[in-house]
Amino acid sequence: MSLITVGTMAFDAIETPFGKVDKIVGGSATYVAYAASNFVKDVKQISIIGYDFPIEELNELKSRGVKIDGVEMIKDKKSFFWSGKYHTDMNTRDTLITDLNVLADFNPIVPDTYQDAEFLMLGNLMPKLQLSVINQMKVRPKLIVMDTMNFWMDIALDDLKEVLTKVDVLLVNDGEARQLSNEFSLVKAAKKIMEMGPKFLIIKKGEHGALLFHENHVFYAPALPLEEVFDPTGAGDTFAGGFIGHLAKTKDISFENMKTAIIVGSAMASYCVEKFGPERLKEITKEDIETRIGEFVELVSFDIDLV
Ligand code: AMP
């Protein structure tokens, strides 16, 4: 089952209470691809990179079954660059720099070889570009999942709202859900956001897990309590990659299966935060993933004997 992933492939500079890196590979589509490639062997990447993006990283992705025909390389420009600094609690961060570089003139093209994909993951990117990818699909994918962030709510809200009318699942964090809906209560926020288009809404709450809303149903998945969170960058994208990867692998887009997909996404994200950048995602094995999913099951399973 094939899956298209769209988003940034970037360099990041990250500062956390545990350390600092000036230049590490990142980007929304990079994290999504690393996570999803554990579940789907045909991940079709759409992105843009500059002359400086490491060839070894592209080879690493290719070795995991990620197709890069849709990754455009611009010879005389630098890759997208983002820099962020985390607060002590690691749940909040400040964006220090967003240098669009190659992203400024990105015009994503869906290659013909990608047209058969049944799953589409719109990673965090300019909403206009997310829309352009949807419009280029000759057959509407079975499931379109969209990620976004407050940055686009601040500067491209109308475009973002247009994309919302065309997607099935939206992923945001709690702050973004409140910003988008103008509601403090997440239940009210979810209702308002689902009226904007998506039938399913996932609200991520960092170390406090994630909520899945659909019609009048809500499901909660915790985050695994970890002794050390080293760098949360990319956790959201990794969650998205695990979530859609599981759905694409099982070809089942029911609410029930989305509950499992959220646990899979949470397990992947819990690995991502253990090291800077996507490093930890490159080390883990199928067995590691299964073990961690088992830890989630253990975390929430209990019997109640009411007399
Ligand atoms: P996350 O921590 O899941 O929100 O994702 C962080 C990744 O998103 C970093 O690797 C950045 O390169 C990338 N990123 C940051 N800002 C943007 C943006 N405005 N558009 C697309 N990607 C971004």
Side-chain angles (χ1 to χ4, degrees):
M1 185 60 51
S2 74
L3 158 68
I4 295 180
T5 59
V6 190
T8 49
M9 293 176 80
F11 281 117
D12 295 337
I14 304 162
E15 191 176 336
T16 79
F18 300 102
K20 204 174 162 201
V21 279
D22 290 335
K23 200 175 180 190
I24 191 165
V25 165
S28 54
T30 309
Y31 284 104
V32 172
Y34 273 121
S37 63
N38 287 288
F39 308 97
V40 183
K41 272 305 145 232
D42 199 7
V43 174
K44 298 164 185 288
Q45 188 90 322
I46 298 182
S47 191
I48 190 163
I49 52 176
Y51 62 84
D52 50 356
F53 198 84
I55 193 87
E56 304 80 49
E57 201 71 31
L58 295 176
N59 288 338
E60 179 78 41
L61 285 165
K62 280 202 268 184
S63 74
R64 288 160 193 265
V66 178
K67 304 278 175 308
I68 59 163
D69 314 24
V71 178
E72 193 183 341
M73 211 264 249
I74 307 291
K75 288 203 178 75
D76 58 351
K77 284 203 173 149
K78 286 188 173 180
S79 301
F80 175 68
F81 176 78
W82 174 81
S83 158
K85 184 176 175 179
Y86 287 86
H87 298 189
T88 332
D89 71 356
M90 299 280 248
N91 273 330
T92 45
R93 71 181 176 206
D94 295 325
T95 288
L96 305 177
I97 304 169
T98 301
D99 278 342
L100 293 180
N101 300 326
V102 287
L103 207 60
D105 351 272
F106 185 31
N107 176 24
I109 306 290
V110 179
D112 282 347
T113 50
Y114 284 23
Q115 284 291 348
D116 59 346
E118 290 190 74
F119 288 80
L120 172 57
M121 177 68 231
L122 300 169
N124 185 19
L125 190 68
M126 282 106 145
K128 250 194 176 43
L129 303 187
Q130 294 178 316
L131 189 64
S132 151
V133 171
I134 298 176
N135 290 339
Q136 287 175 60
M137 295 303 295
K138 293 182 185 139
V139 179
R140 189 194 190 276
K142 187 168 163 170
L143 190 80
I144 305 180
V145 180
M146 172 192 186
D147 189 12
T148 189
M149 76 187 295
N150 53 351
F151 183 78
W152 305 116
M153 291 174 195
D154 294 338
I155 68 164
L157 186 60
D158 287 346
D159 291 340
L160 197 152
K161 284 192 171 164
E162 195 181 343
V163 192
L164 282 179
T165 64
K166 298 185 187 284
V167 304
D168 302 301
V169 185
L170 174 71
L171 289 152
V172 279
N173 67 31
D174 42 1
E176 290 156 353
R178 291 185 171 118
Q179 179 172 349
L180 187 58
S181 63
N182 282 317
E183 291 287 353
F184 187 78
S185 148
L186 292 180
V187 177
K188 285 187 182 165
K191 272 194 189 143
K192 267 200 180 173
I193 294 171
M194 286 191 288
E195 279 165 13
M196 297 177 191
K199 293 183 285 296
F200 299 87
L201 172 70
I202 296 172
I203 301 183
K204 298 167 288 177
K205 291 160 63 66
E207 66 170 329
H208 305 298
L211 293 160
L212 166 68
F213 292 91
H214 174 56
E215 295 171 345
N216 290 323
H217 309 287
V218 57
F219 172 72
Y220 170 70
L224 197 67
L226 296 171
E227 223 166 281
E228 269 182 9
V229 173
F230 202 71
D231 169 24
T233 308
D237 310 310
T238 303
F239 176 97
F243 173 77
I244 199 161
H246 172 77
L247 295 177
K249 177 183 162 188
T250 52
K251 303 177 200 169
D252 174 356
I253 57 170
S254 65
F255 181 71
E256 281 310 302
N257 197 40
M258 283 194 196
K259 291 183 185 176
T260 311
I262 282 203
I263 300 291
V264 173
S266 304
M268 297 308 295
S270 75
Y271 274 122
C272 173
V273 303
E274 289 182 345
K275 285 195 175 171
F276 268 120
E279 287 316 301
R280 188 74 178 114
L281 294 180
K282 295 184 204 171
E283 296 170 351
I284 55 172
T285 61
K286 202 166 169 276
E287 289 69 42
D288 291 326
I289 297 171
E290 279 165 13
T291 306
R292 189 126 311 169
I293 291 173
E295 289 174 47
F296 272 86
V297 174
E298 186 89 341
L299 182 67
V300 288
S301 76
F302 54 85
D303 291 322
I304 296 184
D305 201 359
L306 292 177
V307 262

